[in-house]
Amino acid sequence: MTSDHPRIPLAGVIGHPIAHSRSPALHGYWLRRYGIRGHYIPMDVSPADLASVLEHLPRMGFVGVNITIPHKEAVLGIADIVTDRAALIGAANTLIFRKDGRIHADNTDGSGFISNLRQGAPRWNPADGPAAVLGAGGAARAVIAALIEVGVPEIRLANRTRPRAEAIRSDFGAKVVVSEWVQAANMLDGAALVVNTTSLGMVGKPDFRVPLDALRPGTVVTDLVYTPLTTQFLIEAESMGCTVVDGLGMLLHQAAPGFERWFGQRPEVDLATRNAVLGL
C-alpha cells in the first residue's frame, strides 16, 4: 500500500555548540516564504558522534545538512564525494544526501563571500588590484580560493601565527604573498580589497587593532564578523571613505546553494531576508 503523502524533506545544521546559529531562522524564513513543506533544525552533535549521525540522517528523511564548527574538516573524511573546491579549502559546509545513499560534500563559503561582495560593492572589480586578507583559518582559505578563481592578481596574507599563512601559500601558489602579523598594516597600501577573516572585533573577542592609515578612499573593506553587524573595523574604514560590506550577507549567500539543492527552489537574498535573520 502506497501513501498519498510525499515525504517531507528535512535539513538542518550540525555543530557543537549550535544554539547561536542563525541558519535555522534563515532557512525557516525561506521555507515559509516559498510555501515549501519542509523543516530545518539545529543539531548539537559531538565530534565522537558525527559519523554515526550522518549515516542515519538520510534514513530519517534528511536531504542534506549544513556543517559548522568544529566539524567542517572532519566531514571530508566521512563524505563519499568531495568537490574540488571543498578539497582545496580543506573543509565542507554543505552536505547533500543523494538518492543512491552517497554523501556529497561541498564548500559554498567562497561563492557566498563573492556574492556578498558583488551585492554590497557592485563596482568592485577583481582585476582592480591586490586583496589584503587578515587571518588564515578555514574561512580565509575559502575566501582566498574564491578570490583567485575570480581573477584577483595578488593576495596579501597575514596571520597571528605565520605557519598557517605559509601553509595557505604552499596550497594556493605564488599569488599568495605572506607578511608578518606586525606588518599587516603595510599590506593595506594599494590594496583594492581588504578582508578580515579573523574573530577580532567580534562580541566577546579581542579588539581589531591593525592600523588602517594606509587605506585609501574607494577601497572595498569587508568583515566576516557579523556580531556586531557593523564592527569597529568597518566604522573606521567607512570614515576614511572606503566602501564597506558587512559579514551577514556572506552567511545568507553561502546558504542559498544548499537550500536550492535540498528544497528545489533558488532563494532570493534581499533586505527582507536580512531582516528576518536579524529578527527585525
Side-chain angles (χ1 to χ4, degrees):
M1 181 175 159
T2 59
S3 168
D4 293 333
H5 299 289
R7 204 170 192 188
I8 294 173
L10 305 176
V13 57
I14 293 178
H16 184 63
I18 201 61
H20 65 285
S21 175
R22 307 267 179 114
S23 294
L26 170 60
H27 288 272
Y29 167 75
W30 280 336
L31 287 167
R32 292 189 300 276
R33 177 172 174 171
Y34 298 109
I36 295 168
R37 288 186 73 222
H39 297 279
Y40 184 101
I41 61 169
M43 292 173 274
D44 190 327
V45 176
S46 73
D49 293 331
L50 182 64
S52 65
V53 166
L54 290 176
E55 182 188 339
H56 287 96
L57 287 179
R59 302 177 210 167
M60 297 162 60
F62 279 81
V63 289
V65 289
N66 286 125
I67 299 290
T68 189
I69 294 168
H71 303 312
K72 285 182 164 191
E73 293 83 21
V75 292
L76 294 184
I78 297 169
D80 302 293
I81 304 154
V82 177
T83 63
D84 288 346
R85 62 183 170 185
L88 179 65
I89 293 163
N93 71 335
T94 305
L95 301 184
I96 297 138
F97 301 144
R98 295 172 27 147
K99 286 189 168 58
D100 63 8
R102 293 194 292 174
I103 298 176
H104 177 276
D106 195 8
N107 192 312
T108 63
D109 281 335
S111 61
F113 171 78
I114 297 294
S115 296
N116 186 39
L117 263 192
R118 295 204 187 285
Q119 188 171 37
R123 287 158 65 179
W124 175 71
N125 179 349
D128 283 346
V133 177
L134 300 150
R141 294 179 70 93
V143 164
I144 289 166
L147 290 175
I148 291 171
E149 194 178 330
V150 297
V152 172
E154 177 184 289
I155 316 287
R156 301 170 179 176
L157 177 63
N159 190 53
R160 281 166 287 182
T161 52
R162 185 174 175 121
R164 293 191 77 171
E166 294 287 1
I168 288 180
R169 184 176 65 175
S170 67
D171 287 345
F172 289 89
K175 281 192 173 181
V176 178
V177 180
V178 175
S179 292
E180 293 289 346
W181 182 253
V182 292
Q183 301 294 326
N186 298 342
M187 300 195 312
L188 312 187
D189 190 15
L193 171 69
V194 179
V195 187
N196 175 39
T197 75
T198 74
S199 61
L200 296 174
M202 187 188 287
V203 171
K205 300 286 185 182
D207 292 339
F208 182 94
R209 296 194 186 281
V210 175
L212 303 181
D213 313 350
L215 284 178
R216 59 186 183 192
T219 300
V220 177
V221 177
T222 185
D223 198 333
L224 270 51
V225 170
Y226 58 85
T227 49
L229 194 57
T230 308
T231 60
Q232 198 58 43
F233 170 53
L234 293 183
I235 291 168
E236 196 174 328
E238 189 166 36
S239 75
M240 298 172 74
C242 297
T243 301
V244 300
V245 182
D246 69 51
L248 182 62
M250 178 174 166
L251 173 81
L252 308 182
H253 283 286
Q254 64 80 27
F259 187 91
E260 182 177 17
R261 291 291 293 271
W262 303 327
F263 299 114
Q265 167 79 45
R266 181 72 180 189
E268 195 176 344
V269 176
D270 54 11
L271 186 59
T273 307
R274 280 178 66 93
N275 289 342
V277 172
L278 291 169
L280 300 177

